[in-house]
Amino acid sequence: MSDFNTTIINEFRTNNGHVDTAGFGKNLVLLHTLGAKSGEPRIHPLFGLADDGSWLVVGSFAGSPTTPAWVHNLRAHPDSVAVEAPAADGIARYDTQVTEFTDDEWDAAWAKFTAFTDQFVKYTETAQGRKFPIFRLTPRA
């Protein structure tokens, strides 16, 4: 894990889900996955949009033309995904159901990210045409 990710994770946990670094505020989640090949536990700090009791996350990789590793992890092990997210009394962890947005659903989901910040629009300028995968993470009952 990179030093930047470790710093973000520590700040998230120390401040009950609030992260000043990179301006995340309360819009960060910690995505827990299993490595697609290794099966080893992984934690990925991601921008997460709360949406109707779920979180939306996008595989933008800050505009890289490469798909982030966590996307491969989600697709390989969708039944082993959990999220740590800000909650009323601190941080809560949820086992989640993963749903990837289809092409027909993608535009509406993408609009939620670009409405939040134009940084996502800027990411498209360096992604070399890559369409960012978007996922809904819904807590399991």
Side-chain angles (χ1 to χ4, degrees):
M1 186 178 324
S2 75
D3 288 341
F4 179 76
N5 282 357
T6 300
T7 298
I8 296 292
I9 291 167
N10 290 340
E11 185 176 350
F12 178 90
R13 289 178 172 160
T14 299
N15 297 315
N16 290 318
H18 184 87
V19 178
D20 287 327
T21 302
F24 284 111
K26 289 275 188 181
N27 294 301
L28 186 93
V29 296
L30 300 183
L31 179 69
H32 293 257
T33 66
L34 295 178
K37 294 179 183 175
S38 71
E40 293 295 317
R42 305 280 189 246
I43 302 174
H44 313 273
L46 301 174
F47 180 85
L49 279 178
D51 186 66
D52 197 26
S54 299
W55 298 272
L56 305 182
V57 293
V58 59
S60 64
F61 208 7
S64 170
T66 305
T67 301
W70 65 262
V71 169
H72 303 293
N73 297 349
L74 281 184
R75 290 174 176 159
H77 303 288
D79 295 329
S80 301
V81 176
V83 169
E84 284 180 73
D89 58 348
I91 299 168
R93 182 178 167 132
Y94 306 91
D95 291 330
T96 61
Q97 176 182 342
V98 177
T99 307
E100 185 168 359
F101 283 82
T102 65
D103 286 341
D104 292 340
E105 303 165 318
W106 191 90
D107 287 337
W110 179 243
K112 292 178 182 190
F113 285 93
T114 58
F116 190 84
T117 176
D118 64 351
Q119 187 63 44
F120 286 104
V121 175
K122 293 177 184 173
Y123 288 166
T124 63
E125 297 169 7
T126 56
Q128 299 178 359
R130 182 171 71 86
K131 186 174 183 178
F132 307 133
I134 302 174
F135 298 88
R136 177 178 299 280
L137 308 172
T138 304
R140 293 178 190 225

